[in-house]
Every structure is written in structure tokens, then in C-alpha cells.
Amino acid sequence: MRASKRAFRIESYSHPPDAMAFPAFTGEGHQEIMAELKALRALIKPEEVSKQVIEAYRTEMQEALKLKTELDQIWEAINQTKHEIATLHVTGFQGKQMTRVTHELDAIVSGTEDATEGILSAAEGIDQIAGQLAAKLKSVQDRAAIDDIQQRIITIFEHCNFQDLTGQRITKVVNTLKFIEERIVKMMDIWGGLDSFRDVEIDGIADATGDAALLNGPKIAGESGHASQDDIDALFN
């Protein structure tokens, strides 16, 4: 009895596949995959993607330009602030004008003090003379006149208190100027100290011209450029 021939798997590949061998690529499955691919291709349109990228880039560029404009304004404000601080520090607190102001304030205090002492000394002398006259006068009218003189002397004493008030007010002004100077120095330290301001251009104070240039008085103690009383006396001799 002849044995039946065994069929090998490789032999089955020599025949063309039928429709049932790959059911996933035929029929409804195939159409569904193709529909999904078509829908996906519709969502991904190169021209729309390019427009979105360009629009996003344009928006970012506009924001960057706005930021640059604001940074430029901040930089300009910082430079202007450094310019004003350097001008105030060099021509103001470190310049001859501020030194002159300080000396002028000291001269005011010294001058009012000397004048007040002279007034008080003269008033005390008048009061002593009035007291001596009162002891020698007999009439009521003369004594009333002496009392009136002494009352006016007391009024002079009271008003001479202005010197002390003036000194206190000038001290407040000087303390305020010192406070401002300290704040300016601290602001300069924030920017790196005085060395960072060496290249900053400053505005100089214009020199006085005409009659204003001739107004150099009153003289401050130790200041040169003024005529002394001896010089004035020499003109008339």
C-alpha cells in the first residue's frame, strides 16, 4: 500500500494568496485604515503649518522689539541719572559753590552772634545809665520816662533771641545738605563707586558775567580777592 505524500508549508507559498489569507487588508478593515490616513493627511497641511510658524515668529519678534524699546528707555534713564548725580556731586557738593554755601552759613551764624552780643552789650549799658539817672531824678514825669526806657531795653533783650533761633534753623539746613550728600554718595556706591563716574560728562555751572561777576561780597574770613579797609582808606589819602 502506497503511503500518502506529505505536503510541506513552503509549497503552499508558491501559489498566489487568496483574499481570505490577509483579511486585515481587504474589505472593511482596509477602507477604515485608508479613511484614517486621509483624515490625518487633511489635518497636516504644510501651508497651514508654515503660516502658524510664521505668525508665531512674527508675534515673538514684536514682543522682542517692545522689550528692546523698554530696555533702551531704562538704559537712557540710568545714564541720565548717573549724569545728574555726577554733576551734583562734582559741581555741587564737591565744587566751590557748595563750599561757598557752607562758609556763607557759618558766616551768618558768626555775624548774627557778633551783632547780637554788640546789641546786648549796648542795651545793658543803656540800662545801667538809665538806672543811674533814675536815682537822681525827682519828678514823676522824669521817672516815668526812665521806666519807659528800661521797658524798651527789656524788649531789645527779648528780640535778641532771634540769634539762637537763626543758629538752630541754619543747623537744620546744614544737616539736610549733609543728608543729601550722603544719599548721593551711597547711590554712587551702588553703581560701583566714584571710578564708575569718571567717564560721565557733567554740566558745569556757568560763570557769572557783567555786574553779577562783580558781586563778590560780603567777604568770608580767610577769603582772598576782596579789598580791605586799609585799601579803602588808602584811596582817600
Side-chain angles (χ1 to χ4, degrees), residues 128-147:
Q128 291 179 359
I129 295 173
Q132 294 174 0
L133 290 174
K136 298 179 180 180
L137 297 176
K138 303 298 184 182
S139 65
V140 177
Q141 185 177 0
D142 293 337
R143 287 181 174 273
I146 295 297
D147 290 339

Side-chain angles (χ1 to χ4, degrees), residues 181-224:
E181 183 180 9
E182 291 174 357
R183 300 285 82 72
I184 291 175
V185 171
K186 288 185 177 181
M187 291 178 68
M188 295 178 71
D189 290 338
I190 293 175
W191 271 301
L194 184 61
D195 292 338
S196 63
F197 287 80
R198 296 190 184 279
D199 296 333
V200 179
E201 295 183 0
I202 61 176
D203 296 331
I205 299 178
D207 295 332
T209 59
D211 293 340
L214 302 177
L215 300 177
N216 298 321
K219 180 182 178 182
I220 297 177
E223 188 178 31
S224 60

Side-chain angles (χ1 to χ4, degrees), residues 18-232:
D18 54 8
M20 297 302 294
F22 302 97
F25 295 92
T26 60
E28 295 180 359
H30 176 72
Q31 293 177 359
E32 183 178 356
I33 292 174
M34 295 303 295
E36 292 293 337
L37 290 175
K38 185 177 181 179
L40 182 62
R41 187 181 295 111
L43 292 175
I44 305 176
K45 294 182 178 180
E47 61 276 8
E48 292 184 1
V49 172
S50 300
K51 290 181 180 179
Q52 294 176 358
V53 172
I54 293 174
E55 187 64 26
Y57 178 76
R58 183 181 293 110
T59 302
E60 292 179 358
M61 285 297 297
Q62 291 176 353
E63 294 295 330
L65 290 175
K66 291 181 181 179
L67 179 60
K68 181 180 181 302
T69 301
E70 294 178 357
L71 290 176
D72 290 340
Q73 293 176 352
I74 294 173
W75 178 257
E76 182 64 24
I78 291 175
N79 284 338
Q80 184 64 26
T81 302
K82 292 182 68 175
H83 170 78
E84 298 298 336
I85 290 176
T87 299
L88 184 59
H89 180 75
V90 176
T91 64
F93 288 99
Q94 299 297 325
K96 62 180 181 180
Q97 284 77 13
M98 184 55 66
T99 302
R100 173 84 184 184
V101 168
T102 304
H103 291 167
E104 290 284 3
L105 294 174
D106 292 338
I108 291 174
V109 175
S110 178
T112 55
E113 183 179 358
D114 293 340
T116 303
E117 290 180 357
I119 294 171
L120 291 175
S121 178
E124 289 176 355
I126 294 173
D127 185 58
Q128 291 179 359
I129 295 173
Q132 294 174 0
L133 290 174
K136 298 179 180 180
L137 297 176
K138 303 298 184 182
S139 65
V140 177
Q141 185 177 0
D142 293 337
R143 287 181 174 273
I146 295 297
D147 290 339
D148 186 55
I149 292 174
Q150 291 178 331
Q151 287 298 323
R152 293 181 183 273
I153 291 173
I154 293 174
T155 302
I156 293 175
F157 290 154
E158 292 174 351
H159 285 288
C160 281
N161 290 330
F162 83 94
Q163 192 276 330
D164 182 58
L165 297 176
T166 300
Q168 294 179 22
R169 288 168 178 163
I170 291 177
T171 300
K172 291 181 180 179
V173 173
V174 173
N175 291 336
T176 302
L177 293 175
K178 291 181 178 178
F179 174 81
I180 296 174
E181 183 180 9
E182 291 174 357
R183 300 285 82 72
I184 291 175
V185 171
K186 288 185 177 181
M187 291 178 68
M188 295 178 71
D189 290 338
I190 293 175
W191 271 301
L194 184 61
D195 292 338
S196 63
F197 287 80
R198 296 190 184 279
D199 296 333
V200 179
E201 295 183 0
I202 61 176
D203 296 331
I205 299 178
D207 295 332
T209 59
D211 293 340
L214 302 177
L215 300 177
N216 298 321
K219 180 182 178 182
I220 297 177
E223 188 178 31
S224 60
H226 295 267
S228 64
Q229 187 62 44
D230 294 337
D231 296 332
I232 297 174

